[in-house]
Amino acid sequence: MIISESTLRTFTQNIFLAMGCSDEHAQLAADVLIRSDMRGIDSHGVARLSGYVRLWEKKRINPTPNITIVHETPTTATVDGDAGLGLVVAPYAMKIAIEKAKTYGSGWVAVRNSNHFGISGYHALMAVEQDMIGYAMTNASPLVAPTFSNERMLGTNPMCYAFPAGNYPPVVVDMATSAAANGKLEIAQRAGKPVPEGWIQDGEGNFTTDPHALKKGGSLLPLGSDREHGSHKGFGLSATVDILSAVLSGANYGPWVPPFVSFLEPPTDPVGLGIGHFLGAMRVDGFRPVDEFKSHMDNWISRFKSANKIDPGQGVIIPGEPELEAEKERIISGIPLVDAVVTDLNELADRFGLERIQ
């Protein structure tokens, strides 16, 4: 089913309002999810909406958080999200990082006591709009086993780096540090299709293509899949996200991170508060004039796009290009939703007495 952006945005805002969020927070939370769908990252758009509602019903999400700075220096801060929506807490923290960067050249904010914050790219791009380089990362529910293990210890732990350009769109490196994001498994489950080998292992540590393997005791694999293909590097990147997001902020880390799914209870022996994020902004003109940087970014992009092709029909894809192309198309054609997501959304509509998606 194809749904217009405006229809889906209004629907999503109304769900957050029904949860008790303020108008401002409902609009912001909806914007994060809709931007994900518009950019073609369907795994983190409205398909996640029912997950937030279920956590709210379990009283694990506070719809009216008192977000506060609990520690601060001129260039750094630690924010407590008061168990609020990560979709709201993370932009709040990024605004602090940007304001610090405006004064001191860079700003860095660690966040504790938050929840799932959507796509990292949304938050990193907030800095790009201010001619800054943006950083955003978060830890997540433990679904990934470290190299040489079959125990879930880390989340998919995404990280994003966003760089402004001149005539070209920003370069946006937005990725999970696991071989695949959990949302990719959910898409495969809805479609009834296997996943590529190297994404996931069963409970014994063997490769499997079963998208339901996590429910059977399996685990996602780090970026690189196995030691021979560099999984120790993916493990290292994931560890970096976990430490910056949680050990630094006072959030839960490693296997103590509370699960996104509501049917699993958080660990009974937490080492911190909620989920953690880490956000940063750096002024480009802290290093060189903005126009010079953007000119050379354009040159960088142009040169990479002109690299020799292995296949004449496939050139180098600059990070962020696929999302931009998806957004251009969906502005015109609307947002495609698979039947399972439509059913999910309509169940929410019935739950809150709202008009169904049609």
Side-chain angles (χ1 to χ4, degrees):
M1 183 179 292
I2 306 295
I3 307 295
S4 71
E5 176 190 357
S6 59
T7 297
L8 203 55
R9 183 180 294 274
T10 299
F11 178 90
T12 305
Q13 286 180 199
N14 285 336
I15 294 294
F16 285 122
L17 287 171
M19 289 168 58
C21 296
S22 66
D23 287 346
E24 179 186 0
H25 285 186
Q27 289 175 17
L28 177 55
D31 191 49
V32 179
L33 295 188
I34 297 301
R35 282 290 299 280
S36 178
D37 279 316
M38 289 297 291
R39 290 173 65 81
I41 311 173
D42 299 328
S43 58
H44 284 61
V46 295
R48 291 275 183 184
L49 188 54
S50 62
Y52 295 111
V53 171
R54 285 191 287 268
L55 288 177
W56 166 72
E57 290 174 329
K58 282 288 194 76
K59 302 189 184 304
R60 285 168 53 189
I61 284 180
N62 177 6
T64 56
N66 179 28
I67 307 169
T68 55
I69 296 174
V70 294
H71 184 82
E72 188 173 23
T73 74
T75 59
T76 66
T78 299
V79 164
D80 188 298
D82 194 26
L85 285 161
L87 307 170
V88 171
V89 177
Y92 177 97
M94 180 53 97
K95 286 180 180 178
I96 295 172
I98 290 169
E99 288 305 310
K100 288 180 175 294
K102 286 179 180 178
T103 302
Y104 298 104
S106 67
W108 308 94
V109 180
V111 179
R112 72 186 190 198
N113 204 9
S114 186
N115 281 284
H116 190 280
F117 78 176
I119 56 170
S120 300
Y122 183 95
H123 315 299
L125 282 167
M126 290 173 62
V128 169
E129 293 170 2
Q130 304 294 323
D131 283 337
M132 298 180 186
I133 296 168
Y135 301 79
M137 56 187 69
T138 183
N139 68 357
S141 311
L143 298 173
V144 181
T147 303
F148 300 135
S149 174
N150 63 351
E151 183 180 359
R152 300 176 185 178
M153 295 289 288
L154 292 162
T156 54
N157 291 8
M159 56 169 59
C160 180
Y161 303 81
F163 305 90
N167 295 322
Y168 284 100
V171 172
V172 184
V173 183
D174 187 357
M175 63 181 190
T177 54
S178 55
N182 184 43
K184 297 287 183 68
L185 297 186
E186 294 170 348
I187 290 172
Q189 290 166 12
R190 296 186 196 108
K193 295 180 179 179
V195 297
E197 187 171 285
W199 280 15
I200 192 170
Q201 63 184 4
D202 63 21
E204 304 302 316
N206 302 307
F207 280 171
T208 177
T209 60
D210 179 5
H212 299 280
L214 287 182
K215 301 173 184 176
K216 304 173 184 177
S219 53
L220 287 168
L221 291 162
L223 189 64
S225 299
D226 58 23
R227 180 65 173 78
E228 288 70 26
H229 294 91
S231 69
H232 58 291
K233 299 176 183 178
F235 173 33
L237 289 171
S238 186
T240 300
V241 172
D242 202 37
I243 293 166
L244 287 174
S245 298
V247 180
L248 191 61
S249 70
N252 289 291
Y253 46 82
W256 288 280
V257 177
F260 180 72
V261 292
S262 60
F263 59 84
L264 294 177
E265 293 298 323
T268 57
D269 58 342
V271 292
L273 296 171
I275 285 175
H277 319 313
F278 186 75
L279 303 110
M282 292 196 310
R283 274 172 48 181
V284 168
D285 64 3
F287 300 88
R288 71 187 304 185
V290 173
D291 289 346
E292 284 185 13
F293 176 81
K294 288 185 174 181
S295 175
H296 281 277
M297 278 300 301
D298 285 348
N299 189 48
W300 187 95
I301 294 167
S302 177
R303 181 63 186 90
F304 273 81
K305 287 181 69 66
S306 67
N308 292 335
K309 300 176 182 177
I310 297 172
D311 177 351
Q314 178 61 69
V316 172
I317 297 174
I318 304 300
E321 273 191 333
E323 293 85 352
L324 181 65
E325 290 304 313
E327 191 164 15
K328 288 178 179 176
E329 178 184 336
R330 293 182 178 192
I331 285 172
I332 298 169
S333 61
I335 298 171
L337 299 178
V338 298
D339 290 344
V341 172
V342 174
T343 298
D344 221 19
L345 295 180
N346 282 334
E347 287 176 358
L348 290 179
D350 295 343
R351 158 82 170 77
F352 291 111
L354 301 173
E355 186 175 345
R356 291 181 132 230
I357 295 287
Q358 301 193 13

